[in-house]
Amino acid sequence: MLTVALPKGRLMDKALELFDRAKIIETTNYGESRKLIIEDNKADLRYILAKPTDVPTYVEYGVADIGIVGKDVLKENKRAVYELLDLGIGKCQMIVAVKSGSGFNKVQELGFSAKVASKYPNCTTEYFRSHGIQAEIIKLNGSIELAPIVGLADAIVDITETGRTIAENGLEIIAEVFPISARLIANQVSYKIHYHSLREMVKALEEVI
Amino acid sequence: MLFEIPEGTKDFLLGEAKWKNEIEDLLQKKLRAWGYRQVITPSYEYLTTLSQGEESRLDYFSFLSENGATLALRNDFTTPIARIASIALAEEIRPLRLFYRGNLFRLKHRDKREFWQAGAELIGDGSRYADAEILALAMSALDELGIKDWGLDIGHRKILQGVLEDSALSKKAQKQAEALLLQKDYAGLKALVEQEKTGYDLLLLPSLRGQEEILEIAKTKLASPKAKEALGEIEEILKALKPYGYKQINIDLAMVKDLSYYTGMFFECYAPGLAGIICTGGRYDQLLANFNHSEPAVGLAIGIDEIMEVLAPSSQKSLLDIPDLCLVYSEIQYKEAVIEAEKKRQTGFAVVLAKKGPHLPQAKKYLEL
């Protein structure tokens, strides 16, 4: 039996729907339950419902053989796992945004003492360094859009799907950091041990993406 | 004040230290049985020596000597051994079989900054028989250690090299592709190839893993002559391995290693319950030339920390470290006790002496004189 770490929330429903279409499972009715471990004997799968940011951790340590998680989480916390497939769901963008009318049009204009707020300090550091800017990173845990408005930061690095929340909070996007979508990941040893069934799964998923 | 130990270091206490030595002793016995001879190299060397083995990995602790030379803690055994084989042991009869056991230091080696290895180097034999010997020795060691359900994957440096050279990818994109394969980011590799519209053979590599039959499939699918040549080499290695009788061998054509000195076959061993690699190695035919002594070589390294992690659940018995006997004496029997204890020690028992009282040291048995 393979153990799958799934991210609780919207992405999980989309992922299960994809698994259903690829005929890996038959039902998508797992979201209703409050259980954290669900067994699907028919498909010979066991699900661990985890916080999205914890999915790669479960997979790296091998308590889950495979997992589904956004590229943002993988980039922020580099984990030694196989990244088998871009599932093409949960698409969004990691972006840099500033207060509308602040006059900043490019990240380079933020200068060398830029203050940047983000839930993703590692991605933020890497992005600004690659542009030659030693930004001061302010780690926040939510409502990132607030930071430039109240004067905590000059810019934010955050995820957006449509850009609406950004615009509604009086911010504008000045750069795209990287595109995000959900990935199928696998534990390094599980991948080798269950190689054939996992390659079959990848093939089946590739056909419905 | 809190007296902690630095991040990434570890104390081995009592039974754990004893067990670690047992594992290393067992490996040492195995290596000696295959005709390998031990060398002990310094814990630190000139950085110019250590960096002969590394192109770009800046993964070592370094410091200055009193005359301004940069020194570094050893981050690999193969490079110091290449130095020895090229200089101090240059006149020894070839092939030269050497082994080592000891600690290494890196800044970014998973969660460990000091870690332990035992390993072997077979120098001066460029044949497929030498490759097979190293692979068989690795597998024999894993069996001897009692590791269950281990697996071994063989790859080859020239597979990826050939596929990359055969593509129209720019040098920069080739580096990216190699990094993506090293990170096992197959989704990223697919995106890169689709963006560059060349190097589609790269996308075949992850699907080319399996037993011997994969070689035939790969020969028809991969266009690169260099890759085909590597496939032929793997075939010969498998043939040379046949008499050893191992079945758990896979070929993984998507395997990439992060040590730049590998030139031919390389391999990784893994076991259920551990995310990392327990044993790895490969052929490095150019490394000795860096020490002005061009010679082929192949080697293996076994991770002691990883072995301990895999075997930990079944290690209870080995972890017991208590003297066999405690001789309890009263004041006037002291001289008699010392003589008796020495007698017992001569016959192989671990014996402690204790004066009769309420607090006696730990022992498996107590004997009152």
Side-chain angles (χ1 to χ4, degrees):
Chain A
M1 182 175 271
L2 281 178
T3 302
V4 189
L6 291 173
K8 277 191 285 185
R10 253 191 324 167
L11 188 57
M12 183 172 102
D13 298 334
K14 285 186 192 166
L16 289 171
E17 193 193 302
L18 199 66
F19 271 43
D20 191 19
R21 272 197 285 141
K23 300 202 166 54
I24 294 163
I25 55 165
E26 263 181 28
T27 166
T28 58
N29 209 15
Y30 303 109
E32 312 292 317
S33 164
R34 293 178 73 90
K35 279 196 205 162
L36 295 175
I37 298 180
I38 296 165
E39 289 202 358
D40 180 346
N41 289 318
K42 211 164 167 189
D44 208 21
L45 293 175
R46 190 167 72 124
Y47 302 98
I48 299 178
L49 309 192
K51 199 175 153 140
T53 48
D54 293 336
V55 167
T57 314
Y58 285 104
V59 174
E60 185 185 25
Y61 284 90
V63 287
D65 299 301
I66 56 173
I68 288 168
V69 67
K71 184 69 182 173
D72 53 323
V73 176
L74 289 171
K75 277 226 178 194
E76 182 64 20
N77 308 300
K78 293 201 166 69
R79 294 275 175 193
V81 294
Y82 275 88
E83 210 174 310
L84 297 180
L85 189 62
D86 183 346
L87 296 171
I89 52 173
K91 280 190 177 170
C92 49
Q93 287 280 338
M94 183 77 77
I95 51 92
V96 184
V98 296
K99 200 169 153 183
S100 300
S102 63
F104 297 124
N105 296 309
K106 288 195 289 189
V107 287
Q108 285 84 351
E109 292 171 6
L110 286 165
F112 292 97
S113 54
K115 280 191 194 167
V116 187
S118 183
K119 236 183 347 186
Y120 300 89
N122 297 334
C123 293
T124 307
T125 307
E126 197 178 314
Y127 179 75
F128 277 87
R129 282 220 180 126
S130 73
H131 285 77
I133 302 168
Q134 297 275 336
E136 182 185 334
I137 315 292
I138 302 167
K139 164 91 164 81
L140 292 179
N141 294 303
S143 305
I144 315 295
E145 297 85 355
L146 213 54
I149 313 288
V150 297
L152 178 63
D154 304 308
I156 63 165
V157 168
D158 203 10
I159 286 178
T160 183
E161 208 176 320
T162 57
R164 217 171 68 197
T165 323
I166 301 283
E168 276 174 3
N169 284 291
L171 303 180
E172 59 182 351
I173 295 169
I174 57 166
E176 285 172 2
V177 180
F178 57 82
I180 295 163
S181 55
R183 304 295 156 101
L184 178 70
I185 60 170
N187 172 268
Q188 297 209 353
V189 171
S190 297
Y191 176 71
K192 290 173 189 281
I193 293 171
H194 303 288
Y195 178 76
H196 290 289
S197 52
L198 288 179
R199 290 309 306 178
E200 290 287 311
M201 189 185 276
V202 167
K203 234 196 258 168
L205 285 165
E206 266 176 339
E207 278 167 25
V208 296
I209 288 168
Chain B
M1 192 186 280
L2 274 173
F3 293 102
E4 298 175 79
I5 57 172
E7 195 186 324
T9 60
K10 176 178 164 49
D11 290 321
F12 293 89
L13 303 175
L14 307 175
E16 209 181 357
K18 172 176 152 271
W19 182 43
K20 175 172 172 292
N21 271 320
E22 283 170 9
I23 289 173
E24 289 180 1
D25 289 349
L26 195 134
L27 286 170
Q28 176 164 325
K29 214 175 133 202
K30 168 69 65 182
L31 293 160
R32 283 203 177 278
W34 285 55
Y36 287 74
R37 296 180 288 164
Q38 189 174 10
V39 286
I40 300 174
T41 69
S43 300
Y44 57 91
E45 301 230 4
Y46 289 113
L47 181 58
T48 44
T49 300
L50 289 177
S51 59
Q52 292 307 317
E54 313 251 329
E55 270 168 23
S56 60
R57 283 154 40 97
L58 298 166
D59 198 5
Y60 45 75
F61 287 88
S62 67
F63 46 102
L64 292 177
S65 73
E66 69 279 18
N67 56 13
T70 307
L71 307 171
L73 296 179
R74 63 179 170 214
N75 60 352
D76 174 44
F77 274 109
T78 303
T79 309
I81 287 179
R83 169 183 59 74
I84 290 178
S86 307
I87 302 161
L89 299 181
E91 302 301 323
E92 279 286 306
I93 292 170
R94 265 41 178 182
L96 184 60
R97 290 179 170 85
L98 301 175
F99 85 85
Y100 57 83
R101 59 190 270 191
N103 52 350
L104 299 168
F105 306 86
R106 283 186 202 161
L107 284 163
K108 293 169 280 195
H109 178 76
R110 295 217 293 154
D111 52 342
K112 292 186 189 72
R113 291 185 162 182
E114 180 183 25
F115 55 104
W116 300 78
Q117 280 184 353
E121 314 290 352
L122 172 45
I123 295 149
D125 186 343
S127 77
R128 304 293 76 81
Y129 296 105
D131 292 334
E133 175 176 322
I134 285 294
L135 288 163
L137 177 51
M139 293 188 277
S140 171
L142 297 182
D143 276 344
E144 186 87 22
L145 287 163
I147 292 169
K148 292 202 173 59
D149 301 321
W150 53 263
L152 178 137
D153 278 18
I154 303 177
H156 199 294
R157 175 78 186 263
K158 286 180 181 148
I159 297 284
L160 178 63
Q161 262 179 5
V163 171
L164 286 175
E165 285 169 16
D166 205 50
S167 75
L169 289 168
S170 67
K171 277 272 170 280
K172 191 181 158 209
Q174 288 190 19
K175 278 226 150 61
Q176 275 178 305
E178 189 166 356
L180 288 166
L181 273 168
L182 185 63
Q183 292 160 26
K184 325 269 187 221
D185 182 358
Y186 299 160
L189 185 70
K190 193 171 173 212
L192 177 74
V193 167
E194 279 167 1
Q195 181 196 315
E196 303 286 328
K197 295 194 173 53
T198 177
Y200 287 94
D201 273 5
L202 285 168
L203 303 183
L204 296 172
L205 297 180
S207 65
L208 293 171
R209 179 179 177 275
Q211 304 230 303
E212 210 167 346
E213 72 280 355
I214 215 76
L215 293 173
E216 288 308 314
I217 303 173
K219 271 186 205 161
T220 59
K221 284 192 170 176
L222 297 179
S224 151
K226 196 172 193 174
K228 281 192 207 293
E229 192 190 311
L231 292 170
E233 261 192 36
I234 297 175
E235 209 168 357
E236 281 175 44
I237 292 167
L238 291 180
K239 209 188 277 171
L241 263 175
K242 280 266 153 66
Y244 290 102
Y246 289 102
K247 298 262 187 307
Q248 308 97 306
I249 304 166
N250 274 297
I251 297 132
D252 181 359
L253 299 186
M255 194 194 293
V256 181
K257 301 289 294 173
D258 63 350
L259 281 173
S260 55
Y261 54 58
Y262 289 120
T263 54
M265 152 318 261
F266 44 49
F267 68 96
E268 289 179 344
C269 303
Y270 50 89
L274 182 86
I277 299 298
I278 47 180
C279 174
T280 183
R283 177 160 286 286
Y284 52 96
D285 287 348
Q286 304 300 327
L287 181 57
L288 274 78
N290 295 353
F291 296 100
N292 304 317
H293 191 92
S294 184
E295 223 179 345
V298 58
L300 69 88
I302 297 171
I304 304 298
D305 308 88
E306 284 78 9
I307 297 282
M308 292 179 80
E309 212 176 318
V310 169
L311 292 178
S314 56
S315 66
Q316 286 312 320
K317 214 179 104 202
S318 315
L319 283 171
L320 193 70
D321 188 14
I322 295 173
D324 299 309
L325 185 66
C326 176
L327 274 182
V328 186
Y329 61 90
S330 59
E331 191 79 52
I332 50 159
Q333 292 168 310
Y334 175 67
K335 188 182 167 193
E336 193 190 328
V338 168
I339 293 165
E340 181 62 21
E342 197 46 36
K343 235 194 264 170
K344 294 258 190 245
R345 285 175 192 138
Q346 292 295 334
T347 61
F349 288 101
V351 184
V352 289
L353 282 172
K355 199 169 154 187
K356 202 168 180 177
H359 302 294
L360 292 174
Q362 265 192 311
K364 286 179 193 156
K365 260 188 178 171
Y366 295 86
L367 187 67
E368 213 169 309
L369 279 179

